[in-house]
């Protein structure tokens, strides 16, 4: 596996590499191909699962990714790292979500299942351009679950207080990404660069939201999108323009990566 890259560049998807329609603009796809031609390894770093990133991988040619907020790391066909939430914990989160009137989707690297559906849940999946998962509230008994997503219009703190062994990221108006407490995009990056023997190369990272903050802080060069939240902008070494206003291209050009 190639490891003679000049550096690694990590891209969040929603609000970052993707546009408002959850697609990759032609200019961004061209920039990523140029980045690779210039000797850098482009990497997707997202809360989405591997089966939810085809819109990005097909147009950019990226074949290395950190998914499920750092719980699943893969390069080409090689799995570098996977961390699963204990089944009993998944069960407890689902039970708590029912009490709050929320739903839970369980994500394995290759499948996703919902604890229950509702018009609210269906609207959420339509908004993020992802097919509604199959209903199976007991999937956690049968398969690996590195991450769950609580579909809720409430905040994450009420869950965080009840489950200190987990980390809850409010990643959108109606989504709370949930992984084990020591798992993050930052930990995913560490596993990846160690697995590919790239620890002595510079790390660049683009992001906009709460789950991007650990990797933005960790990267040698953290680039916040113009549409990003304040805490990401404050932690960044550079603030580029919005994702729908050339943010990726401008950020790559700022550091002479393309």
């Amino acid at each position: 596996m190639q490891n003679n890259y000049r550096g690694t560049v990590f891209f969040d998807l929603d609000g970052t590499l993707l546009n408002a329609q959850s697609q990759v603009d032609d200019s961004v796809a061209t920039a990523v191909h140029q980045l690779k031609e210039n000797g850098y390894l482009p990497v997707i770093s997202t809360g989405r699962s591997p089966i939810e990133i085809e819109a990005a991988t097909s147009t950019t040619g990226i074949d290395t990714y950190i998914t499920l907020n750092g719980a699943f790391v893969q390069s080409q066909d090689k799995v570098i790292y996977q961390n699963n939430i204990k089944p009993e914990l998944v069960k407890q989160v689902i039970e708590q979500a029912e009490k709050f009137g929320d739903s839970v989707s369980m994500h394995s690297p290759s499948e996703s299942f919902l604890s229950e559906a509702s018009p609210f849940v269906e609207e959420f999946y339509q908004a993020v351009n992802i097919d509604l998962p199959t209903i199976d509230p007991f999937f956690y008994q049968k398969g690996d679950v590195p991450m769950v997503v609580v579909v809720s219009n409430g905040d994450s703190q009420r869950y965080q207080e009840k489950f200190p062994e987990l980390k809850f990221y409010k990643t959108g108006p109606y989504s709370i990404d949930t992984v084990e407490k020591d798992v993050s995009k930052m930990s995913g990056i560490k596993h990846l660069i160690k697995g590919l023997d790239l620890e002595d190369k510079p790390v660049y990272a683009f992001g906009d939201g709460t789950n991007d903050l650990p990797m933005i802080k960790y990267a040698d060069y953290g680039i916040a999108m113009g549409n990003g939240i304040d805490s990401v902008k404050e932690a960044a070494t550079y603030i580029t323009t919005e994702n729908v206003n050339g943010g990726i291209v401008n950020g790559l050009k700022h550091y002479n990566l393309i």
Side-chain angles (χ1 to χ4, degrees), residues 8 51 68 71 75 101 105-106 109 152 156 160 173 185 195 203 212 229:
T8 50
I51 59 174
L68 303 172
S75 183
S105 60
M106 295 161 276
S152 170
S156 60
Q160 192 65 73
K185 291 186 178 185
V203 171
D212 298 316
I229 61 175

Side-chain angles (χ1 to χ4, degrees), residues 13 17-18 24 29 32-33 43-44 46 49-65 67:
L13 289 185
L17 197 72
L18 301 180
V24 177
V32 173
H33 285 288
V43 184
I44 288 171
T46 180
S49 74
I51 59 174
E52 297 171 346
I53 63 174
E54 194 273 337
T57 57
S58 62
T59 53
T60 62
I62 295 176
D63 60 8
T64 299
Y65 40 85
T67 52

Side-chain angles (χ1 to χ4, degrees), residues 25-251:
D25 289 331
D26 291 343
S27 60
V28 173
T30 299
V32 173
H33 285 288
Q34 184 63 55
L35 178 71
K36 196 167 186 176
E37 289 176 12
N38 289 350
Y40 294 88
L41 175 65
V43 184
I44 288 171
S45 183
T46 180
R48 293 188 180 224
S49 74
I51 59 174
E52 297 171 346
I53 63 174
E54 194 273 337
T57 57
S58 62
T59 53
T60 62
I62 295 176
D63 60 8
T64 299
Y65 40 85
I66 294 165
T67 52
L68 303 172
N69 282 302
F72 187 76
V73 180
Q74 183 167 342
S75 183
Q76 297 177 16
D77 295 325
K78 179 184 178 182
V79 176
I80 292 174
Y81 176 77
Q82 180 174 340
N83 185 92
N84 302 317
I85 303 174
K86 296 177 180 63
E88 182 60 28
L89 261 180
V90 177
K91 178 176 181 287
Q92 292 172 12
V93 172
I94 292 173
E95 292 173 346
Q96 187 60 59
E98 290 175 351
K99 294 177 182 177
F100 285 148
D102 299 331
S103 295
V104 172
S105 60
M106 295 161 276
H107 295 268
S108 80
S110 59
E111 300 174 287
S112 296
F113 295 91
L114 269 171
S115 62
E116 60 180 346
S118 68
F120 173 75
V121 172
E122 292 171 3
E123 290 175 10
F124 163 70
Y125 276 93
Q126 289 174 0
V128 294
N129 292 308
I130 296 174
D131 292 337
L132 188 74
T134 301
I135 309 300
D136 184 352
F138 303 108
F139 172 71
Y140 63 87
Q141 298 175 349
K142 313 164 193 173
D144 294 340
V145 182
M147 186 182 84
V148 303
V149 176
V150 180
V151 184
S152 170
N153 59 6
D155 63 32
S156 60
Q157 191 57 36
R158 56 183 180 165
Y159 285 94
Q160 192 65 73
E161 291 171 354
K162 293 183 178 295
F163 301 100
E165 58 271 76
L166 298 173
K167 178 64 178 176
F168 295 83
Y169 295 103
K170 185 73 172 180
T171 54
Y174 310 114
S175 57
I176 303 172
D177 291 4
T178 308
V179 289
E180 290 204 335
K181 66 177 182 179
D182 294 327
V183 173
S184 68
K185 291 186 178 185
M186 176 185 73
S187 68
I189 289 175
K190 289 181 177 180
H191 286 294
L192 180 70
I193 61 178
K194 181 178 181 180
L196 298 184
D197 194 24
L198 295 170
E199 294 171 296
D200 61 338
K201 305 296 175 63
V203 171
Y204 303 80
F206 288 76
D208 72 309
T210 54
N211 59 338
D212 298 316
L213 191 55
M215 76 168 179
I216 292 294
K217 289 181 176 180
Y218 174 77
D220 298 302
Y221 305 96
I223 301 100
M225 307 304 292
N227 50 286
I229 61 175
D230 289 343
S231 57
V232 171
K233 291 179 178 178
E234 291 165 3
T237 54
Y238 179 70
I239 301 173
T240 187
T241 50
E242 297 83 359
N243 64 313
V244 295
N245 189 29
I248 294 296
V249 175
N250 292 335

